[in-house]
Amino acid sequence: MTWLHRIRRSMASSWSMYRSDFRSLDKTQIFLLILLTVLAMFMLLPLVFIFNHAFKPLHELFLFPPTFFVQQATMQNFTDLLHATQDTFLPVTRFIFNSIMVTLLSTVGMVIFGALCAYPLSKHPFPGRKIVFGVILLSIMIAVETMGIPRYIVVKSLGIMNTYWGHVLPILALPVGVFLLKQFMDQVPNELLEAAKLDGASEWQIFMRIMIPIVTPAMATITILSFQTAWTNSETSALFMQDDAMKTLPFYVESLTSNLANTVARQGVAAAASLIIFVPNLMIFLLSQRKVIQTMAHSGIK
């Protein structure tokens, strides 16, 4: 049996299963299924537009009325993006490399520190625990712009200007991540942890072998939030990086059309760069969407 024949048999069995399930639905369920399908297609329109917009030639970008789908697809926007920095000493790949490095370090750090912070808040009733958790929740409501000057003073005092740590440390704390992980860990029975202690497990073993596997869906959600925060962040490049070689791709994209005398130049380049920034976010979400659904359902224990 060839691999093509196996794929056809799998698709045929899947289609027969879906058809039998569809026949078992009543009229209300069929109506809701059709309605949700239409809504899902409507929600996909921005994604379709982003992909089409990046491949439009310059004359299609400014058509009136504007077109939703590209008519004459071209790769010229991506070529112009690679050549946009040919008059400088820094290629665009340098900005992409910086974004990848900063995103990896920030995402790993946010997930690890979020879990280490949520665990004692959830399972160790130390004095002042509610106050600490209240401060964390309060920090969610504070606008990032109000913290610009204090963060600049701290980063400069630490001597990490124009370094990768200058990108990572200012965004390392993720209050939303701590909140989600704590709420997820609260569902884990204390009796389970006490049984592990009676069996001789250390605190670190309980955290790594019991707590982390249980809260894996929540950690997947935090990974997505952390990745989006770090990958699209341009504030650290604007505030803490004077050396252009240490700036990231989002900052470079913002600078493509800023301070220009018109709104036409480099719009195609900006569209291509926006697609490059968007695609990793989409891929991370698609790979982790099942875990995200489990997090929202608060299914901490199976």
Side-chain angles (χ1 to χ4, degrees):
M1 182 183 298
T2 62
W3 62 272
L4 183 60
H5 186 59
R6 292 179 181 177
I7 294 177
R8 289 177 177 175
R9 287 190 57 183
S10 177
M11 293 177 62
S13 61
S14 299
W15 172 249
S16 61
M17 180 181 64
Y18 293 145
R19 185 171 56 184
S20 62
D21 292 341
F22 184 80
R23 289 177 178 176
S24 62
L25 299 178
D26 56 29
K27 294 182 178 180
T28 303
Q29 292 174 328
I30 293 176
F31 172 76
L32 291 176
L33 178 61
I34 295 175
L35 178 62
L36 293 176
T37 302
V38 173
L39 290 176
M41 295 176 64
F42 180 77
M43 295 175 65
L44 286 175
L45 292 180
L47 306 184
V48 177
F49 178 79
I50 290 176
F51 279 90
N52 280 270
H53 196 66
F55 292 96
K56 289 180 180 179
L58 187 60
H59 67 276
E60 288 190 29
L61 291 173
F62 300 95
L63 283 179
F64 186 83
T67 58
F68 194 86
F69 295 99
V70 59
Q71 300 175 3
Q72 299 177 354
T74 178
M75 295 292 294
Q76 187 61 39
N77 293 334
F78 296 91
T79 303
D80 293 341
L81 175 63
L82 295 176
H83 295 161
T85 55
Q86 62 182 356
D87 296 333
T88 65
F89 295 101
L90 294 175
V92 68
T93 52
R94 176 64 186 185
F95 300 106
I96 297 176
F97 174 79
N98 290 339
S99 291
I100 293 174
M101 289 294 298
V102 171
T103 301
L104 289 178
L105 293 174
S106 301
T107 301
V108 173
M110 281 189 245
V111 173
I112 293 177
F113 283 102
L116 291 175
C117 181
Y119 178 62
L121 288 174
S122 176
K123 297 304 178 183
H124 293 275
F126 58 88
R129 179 181 61 170
K130 294 183 178 179
I131 297 177
V132 174
F133 186 61
V135 172
I136 293 175
L137 293 180
L138 183 63
S139 64
I140 299 177
M141 297 181 288
I142 299 177
V144 179
E145 291 77 10
T146 62
M147 302 297 294
I149 295 177
R151 290 166 66 185
Y152 179 85
I153 295 175
V154 172
V155 171
K156 186 176 181 180
S157 300
L158 293 176
I160 55 176
M161 302 281 285
N162 295 314
T163 65
Y164 287 120
W165 293 114
H167 285 288
V168 175
L169 290 182
I171 63 174
L172 197 59
L174 188 66
V176 176
V178 176
F179 171 75
L180 289 178
L181 285 171
K182 180 188 179 299
Q183 298 302 106
F184 218 87
M185 291 179 180
D186 286 343
Q187 301 178 59
V188 180
N190 294 327
E191 293 77 10
L192 180 63
L193 307 184
E194 293 174 358
K197 292 179 180 179
L198 292 176
D199 290 337
S202 64
E203 198 69 46
W204 182 253
Q205 289 174 330
I206 293 174
F207 176 73
M208 292 300 298
R209 297 185 180 183
I210 298 178
M211 190 62 68
I212 293 300
I214 290 176
V215 301
T216 298
M219 295 189 69
T221 304
I222 304 307
T223 300
I224 295 176
L225 296 176
S226 303
F227 182 88
Q228 292 177 343
T229 300
W231 180 252
T232 60
N233 180 52
S234 62
E235 181 186 5
T236 54
S237 295
L239 295 179
F240 313 132
M241 304 296 144
Q242 287 77 39
D243 187 0
D244 290 339
M246 293 302 302
K247 295 180 179 180
T248 57
L249 182 62
F251 178 85
Y252 171 69
V253 173
E254 292 181 1
S255 66
L256 287 176
T257 56
S258 62
N259 299 324
L260 292 179
N262 57 72
T263 58
V264 177
R266 294 182 176 177
Q267 288 298 324
V269 176
S274 299
L275 179 62
I276 294 176
I277 294 178
F278 170 75
V279 168
N281 285 326
L282 178 63
M283 297 301 298
I284 291 293
F285 176 78
L286 292 178
L287 294 175
S288 307
Q289 60 177 336
R290 183 173 299 178
K291 298 295 184 181
V292 174
I293 296 174
Q294 294 178 10
T295 304
M296 298 310 170
H298 294 284
S299 55
I301 302 294
K302 300 295 183 183

